Amino acid sequence: MILLYIIFAAYIIAVNVYSVMLLLAQRNEYMSDESKLNAGDGKLILSALLGGAIGIYVTMFITRFKLKNMLLMILLPVIGVINVWLCVVAFRSGFTFIAV
């Protein structure tokens, strides 16, 4: 059972690291070509749904990038709360909702 906790925690950390790297790559791409401001928002939302919403949201404020994008500013905190709630439910239940 402890191995399942470790795997789940490693997954959440990996998704957040990937999400931060994705946002930083988009920022660097925007710095070279300013016409690509809203390019890649779908990738950010998908990685947020997979568990990286908190990492994206924090990185947006640290780098001050995409703060005027209202879709991300409203959707990411909502997805982040859902992600945290699902993690708490998963750890409290001991992952018993998974058919073994």
Side-chain angles (χ1 to χ4, degrees):
M1 182 58 78
I2 208 93
L3 181 63
L4 196 57
Y5 288 138
I6 293 171
I7 290 172
F8 186 72
Y11 167 77
I12 294 297
I13 291 169
V15 168
N16 275 293
V17 167
Y18 170 75
S19 300
V20 167
M21 290 173 48
L22 181 65
L23 186 69
L24 293 176
Q26 285 185 2
R27 181 176 158 252
N28 291 337
E29 184 178 343
Y30 171 72
M31 293 299 180
S32 64
D33 186 12
E34 292 185 10
S35 66
K36 297 183 177 183
L37 177 61
N38 290 327
D41 285 349
K43 291 177 186 178
L44 288 176
I45 292 172
L46 179 63
S47 64
L49 287 172
L50 292 174
I54 304 295
I56 295 172
Y57 198 65
V58 169
T59 306
M60 281 173 53
F61 280 102
I62 290 173
T63 61
R64 295 181 182 166
F65 181 64
K66 291 201 177 207
L67 292 178
K68 294 182 181 176
N69 190 337
M70 291 310 284
L71 175 70
L72 294 178
M73 292 302 292
I74 293 171
L75 195 59
L76 285 178
V78 172
I79 294 173
V81 168
I82 293 171
N83 285 341
V84 169
W85 179 74
L86 287 175
C87 289
V88 168
V89 167
F91 278 107
R92 278 192 180 173
S93 69
F95 295 97
T96 55
F97 54 88
I98 298 174
V100 179

